[in-house]
């Protein structure tokens, strides 16, 4: 977990050589149908243009496609032209309704298992596919090829870009953002990385670039995140609205106006198409590679599509990748799917030579790296208050296969590493539990939940005291797992000590199911948690099942009552990454509930 494992930018790879972040799947049903029909009606399959006498109105196959708001207008133009031209799939006209939907909202809805009112999804980045898949319990998605792309860059108004040497001077991501932030005249804005692929890809690129510089890259990335958080917008469209609207002193001196924003090339293209004079943007393309928004064409709940819908969806995907559609995408400021630079698009977007706008795209970060950055973002921009509850039952002495260490030893190391990611303002405490650990109680508090930077006895800090408490955890010989009583007691304590303005949560780690037959039952626990949970004072439970004996479904059922969720790790070393992922997910769930 954490900033030490941020992506290593390295030397830019040749465009097309870098392995994709996720493996795209061919649209299964549609492809099988194509192959099945090919032997008898090859012409129809290749062109999808069988000629039938039926009118389009009588024969049309209707599809609904949810597209990222930036690309929706271009896709809608292509769909409307296809209907006007009576483009057909197996003799049926294509009638594709295109609706603009924010990618993060669609991903959240699909992860929650909501039944969608569309059959095809076109998010701005494949990072949302991992978000949509969640824990594998949501609505299934089947991604295929990208239909367009747009690099992420730093846009500045002319008065801010010229002092930085634009367009002759080039920078790495870390150098560019650092130079902009060192100038009092430049205010930098970005979209919330939890809601914007542009914001997340840019922040991850800054992190990877900072790591290449050496030194305390963690601190630099955290400082950058803090600055971005102060001028954060909810969406890419809102980021553009924060820009100074002219070169006047009143506009550029307005503290609410930004002179620099992290946006896509296409967003700059669209902005410049309507801006005049000093309102137009100049683009810096970092020399260590620009990440791409890649617009993957994705079927939603593919198995529930009818045969005509599957065929029509495949036909429309093919149409989006033909020469005519590429020209439409270019008119809206998009690059082809392979990311190749088109000078007309680049110049209109504010790019100029010798900016490296035609060089390789940065290698896409992994899903794990993105989750870690999101977790870091959450705990950086909003201080956390976490009570950590660790299973100390006898089974925690079990050796982890291939490690030569017990579950407890690896868990302690993982928790200590995770602790390094939190700031002095974050509040963390520690409980342990087994059975009858403290008299009749299955649990006991080892350190209270306090600010890590607070002083402790002996001239140390609470962070150092907590780290020592983690290191001192030991399995209780013969101790069983008193999970239910501990969960209720620790949740009540976390609720009663809730701190407004912080991300409050309860982190429970266990390697087994509840074994306390004299304690509260699961149904009674769930009933109590339902009564205690308060959307105005949320304390989500982040329950982590460690090892093969733990029951993820059990802890997940309990956690979801509170707005949290259950997670499973086969190796305790994974705990640190899961904690950050869980914090990000629970934070997003809480924010969505408040909207």
């Amino acid at each position: 977990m954490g900033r030490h494992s941020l992506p290593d930018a390295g030397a830019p790879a040749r465009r097309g050589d870098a392995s994709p972040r996720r493996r795209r799947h061919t649209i299964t049903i549609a492809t099988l149908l194509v192959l099945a029909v090919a032997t008898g009606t090859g012409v129809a399959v290749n062109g999808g243009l069988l000629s039938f006498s039926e009118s389009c109105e009588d024969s049309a196959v209707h599809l609904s496609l949810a597209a990222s708001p930036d690309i929706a207008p271009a896709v809608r133009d292509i769909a409307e032209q296809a209907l006007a031209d009576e483009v057909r799939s197996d003799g049926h006209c294509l009638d594709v309704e295109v609706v603009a939907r924010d990618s993060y909202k669609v991903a959240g809805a699909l992860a929650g298992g909501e039944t969608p009112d569309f059959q095809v999804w076109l998010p701005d980045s494949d990072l949302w596919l991992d978000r949509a898949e969640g824990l594998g319990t949501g609505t299934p998605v089947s991604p295929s090829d990208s239909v367009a792309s747009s690099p992420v860059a730093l846009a500045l108004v002319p008065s801010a870009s010229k002092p930085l040497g634009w367009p002759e001077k080039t920078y790495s991501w870390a150098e560019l953002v650092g130079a902009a932030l060192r100038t009092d005249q430049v205010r930098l804005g970005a979209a919330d990385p939890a809601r914007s692929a542009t914001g997340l890809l840019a922040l991850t690129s800054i992190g990877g670039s900072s790591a290449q510089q050496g030194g305390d890259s963690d601190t630099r990335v955290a400082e950058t995140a803090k600055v971005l958080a102060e001028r954060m917008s909810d969406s890419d469209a809102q980021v553009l609205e924060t820009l100074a609207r002219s070169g006047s002193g009143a506009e550029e001196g307005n503290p609410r106006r930004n002179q620099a924003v992290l946006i896509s090339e296409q967003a700059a293209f669209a902005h410049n198409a309507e801006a005049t004079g000093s309102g137009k943007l100049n683009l810096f393309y970092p020399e260590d590679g620009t990440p791409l928004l890649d617009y993957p064409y994705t079927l939603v709940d593919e198995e529930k599509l009818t045969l005509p819908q599957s065929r029509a969806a495949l036909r429309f995907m093919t149409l989006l990748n033909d020469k005519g559609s590429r020209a439409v995408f270019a008119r809206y400021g998009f690059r082809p799917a392979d990311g190749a630079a088109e000078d007309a698009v680049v110049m209109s977007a504010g790019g100029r030579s010798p900016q490296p706008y035609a060089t390789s795209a940065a290698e896409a970060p992994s899903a794990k790296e993105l989750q870690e950055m999101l977790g870091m973002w959450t705990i950086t921009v909003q201080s956390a208050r976490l009570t950590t509850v660790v299973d100390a039952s006898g089974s925690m002495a079990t050796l982890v296969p291939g490690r030569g260490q017990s579950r407890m030893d690896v868990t302690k190391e993982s928790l200590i590493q995770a602790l390094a990611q939190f700031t002095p303002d974050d509040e963390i405490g520690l409980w342990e539990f087994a059975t009858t650990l403290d008299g009749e109680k299955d649990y006991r508090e080892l350190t209270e939940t306090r600010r890590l930077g607070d002083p402790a006895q002996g001239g140390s800090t609470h962070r150092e005291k907590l780290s020592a408490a983690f290191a001192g955890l030991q399995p209780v010989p013969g101790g069983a797992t008193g999970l239910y009583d501990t969960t209720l007691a620790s949740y009540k304590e976390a609720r009663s000590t809730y701190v407004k303005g912080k991300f409050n949560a309860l982190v429970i780690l266990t390697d087994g199911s509840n074994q306390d037959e004299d304690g509260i039952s699961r149904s009674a626990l769930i009933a109590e948690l339902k009564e205690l949970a308060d959307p105005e004072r949320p304390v989500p439970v982040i329950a982590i099942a460690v090892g093969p004996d733990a029951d993820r479904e059990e802890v997940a059922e309990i956690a979801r009552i509170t707005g949290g969720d259950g997670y499973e790790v086969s190796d305790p070393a994974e705990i640190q990454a899961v904690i950050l992922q869980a914090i990000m997910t629970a934070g997003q769930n809480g924010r969505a509930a408040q909207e």
Side-chain angles (χ1 to χ4, degrees):
M1 177 190 75
R3 305 164 198 163
H4 291 291
S5 59
L6 293 175
D8 184 351
R14 290 173 58 89
R15 190 179 299 280
D17 290 349
S19 59
R21 186 175 65 84
R22 61 179 291 125
R23 182 180 180 183
R24 292 273 172 76
H25 302 288
T26 305
I27 299 175
T28 311
I29 292 178
T31 303
L32 290 174
L33 289 169
V34 169
L35 294 174
V37 175
T39 56
T41 54
V43 173
V45 172
N46 291 331
L49 296 172
L50 284 175
S51 177
F52 287 77
S53 59
E54 271 190 306
S55 68
C56 266
E57 184 176 349
D58 295 332
S59 69
V61 177
H62 302 280
L63 289 176
S64 182
L65 184 152
S68 176
D70 52 347
I71 202 169
V75 178
R76 189 176 294 116
D77 278 4
I78 295 168
E80 290 175 351
Q81 191 61 50
L83 186 60
D85 291 344
E86 298 192 6
V87 174
R88 296 175 182 259
S89 168
D90 293 344
H92 301 287
C93 281
L94 292 177
D95 182 6
V96 181
E97 177 193 22
V98 179
V99 293
R101 300 275 177 87
D102 289 318
S103 297
Y104 82 92
K105 290 182 179 179
V106 174
L110 295 177
E114 291 187 18
T115 301
D117 58 357
F118 50 87
Q119 296 79 42
V120 184
W121 180 30
L122 193 61
D124 58 4
S125 171
D126 65 3
L127 68 86
W128 299 115
L129 303 176
D130 292 302
R131 188 82 63 85
E133 289 171 354
L135 295 173
T137 57
T139 303
V141 295
S142 305
S144 189
D145 296 335
S146 294
V147 301
S149 68
S150 188
V152 176
L154 180 66
L156 297 96
V157 296
S159 62
S161 64
K162 295 301 175 64
L164 293 181
W166 180 90
E168 288 80 12
K169 186 169 177 56
T170 60
Y171 300 84
S172 68
W173 273 104
E175 291 168 344
L176 177 57
V177 173
L181 295 180
R182 283 194 299 271
T183 304
D184 293 337
Q185 302 302 314
V186 177
R187 291 181 288 273
L188 175 62
D192 182 354
R195 301 181 176 196
S196 161
T198 302
L200 179 56
L201 289 171
L203 186 61
T204 305
S205 295
I206 294 166
S209 184
S210 295
Q212 289 294 301
Q213 288 188 332
D216 191 359
S217 61
D218 291 355
T219 299
R220 289 198 299 271
V221 177
E223 289 174 347
T224 301
K226 284 285 190 184
V227 172
L228 292 177
E230 292 172 0
R231 310 192 67 82
M232 182 182 70
S233 299
D234 284 344
S235 67
D236 297 317
Q238 290 181 17
V239 170
L240 288 166
E241 294 174 1
T242 68
L243 284 164
R245 298 172 182 173
S246 70
S248 69
E251 270 294 292
E252 296 206 350
N254 186 339
R256 295 184 178 181
R257 298 295 183 198
N258 292 318
Q259 289 77 41
V261 287
L262 293 163
I263 58 174
S264 70
E265 180 183 83
Q266 189 278 333
F269 178 99
H271 173 88
N272 285 349
E274 298 182 358
T276 59
S278 58
K280 289 183 177 290
L281 296 171
N282 297 326
L283 285 187
F284 276 96
Y285 296 79
E287 60 190 10
D288 44 359
T290 52
L292 290 176
L293 300 179
D294 57 356
Y295 305 92
Y297 190 87
T298 305
L299 292 192
V300 179
D301 214 351
E302 180 182 358
E303 292 185 357
K304 292 186 178 180
L305 298 185
T306 66
L307 187 151
Q309 285 176 328
S310 295
R311 293 297 303 275
L314 179 61
R315 177 70 183 104
F316 192 62
M317 182 185 72
T318 304
L319 183 65
L320 290 177
N321 281 286
D322 72 13
K323 183 177 180 181
S325 295
R326 288 197 297 272
V328 174
F329 285 131
R331 289 202 301 271
Y332 279 89
F334 292 96
R335 295 189 181 192
D338 65 3
E342 297 192 1
D343 287 346
V345 169
V346 173
M347 300 306 159
S348 297
R352 296 288 186 278
S353 180
Q355 284 297 312
Y357 59 79
T359 58
S360 301
E363 184 174 352
S366 69
K368 178 182 178 182
E369 289 163 340
L370 291 168
Q371 290 285 12
E372 290 176 355
M373 182 57 72
L374 274 173
M376 185 279 291
W377 168 262
T378 301
I379 64 175
T380 298
V381 304
Q382 182 183 28
S383 294
R385 178 178 171 82
L386 308 176
T387 300
T388 309
V389 184
V390 180
D391 190 344
S393 61
S395 57
M396 288 291 283
T398 303
L399 291 180
V400 177
R403 283 188 172 272
Q405 292 177 291
S406 70
R407 291 175 184 170
M408 181 63 87
D409 288 337
V410 180
T411 296
K412 291 190 297 187
E413 289 181 5
S414 194
L415 287 171
I416 291 170
Q417 291 174 22
L419 184 60
Q421 308 306 309
F422 293 89
T423 72
D425 286 331
D426 294 316
E427 302 179 31
I428 302 179
L430 175 63
W431 290 32
E432 64 175 348
F433 72 98
T435 46
T436 59
L437 192 61
D438 183 11
E440 293 299 315
K441 296 179 181 178
D442 292 339
Y443 49 84
R444 63 184 168 202
E445 182 183 66
L446 298 179
T447 68
E448 61 182 311
T449 304
R450 295 177 52 193
R451 288 182 67 257
L452 293 176
D454 283 352
Q457 291 182 348
S460 63
T461 63
H462 182 62
R463 183 192 297 273
E464 292 167 320
K465 180 181 178 181
L466 183 62
S467 182
F470 282 148
L473 287 168
Q474 295 294 333
V476 177
T481 306
L483 178 62
Y484 295 164
D485 282 353
T486 301
T487 299
L488 181 58
S490 57
Y491 189 79
K492 285 181 175 179
E493 176 68 15
R495 282 280 290 108
S496 67
T497 57
Y498 179 90
V499 176
K500 188 176 181 179
K502 288 182 178 285
F503 174 74
N504 293 249
L506 185 66
V507 180
I508 299 177
L509 298 99
T510 181
D511 75 338
S513 299
N514 182 70
Q515 297 171 319
D516 184 0
E517 296 181 357
D518 296 325
I520 192 173
S521 66
R522 184 195 298 197
S523 60
L525 171 62
I526 289 173
E528 289 249 26
L529 292 176
K530 284 181 178 178
E531 289 290 326
L532 290 168
D534 181 359
E536 299 300 319
R537 296 163 61 86
V539 183
V541 170
I542 297 169
I544 303 176
V546 182
D549 300 324
D551 186 343
R552 192 192 89 180
E553 289 308 313
E554 176 183 50
V555 296
E557 180 185 8
I558 295 169
R560 287 168 187 159
I561 298 298
T562 67
D565 212 334
Y567 299 81
E568 182 177 17
V569 295
S570 57
D571 187 336
E574 300 169 9
I575 288 171
Q576 52 181 341
V578 169
I579 288 177
L580 278 190
Q581 176 187 347
I583 286 174
M584 181 277 298
T585 302
Q588 277 299 100
N589 290 343
R591 177 181 295 171
Q594 295 170 9
E595 291 178 344

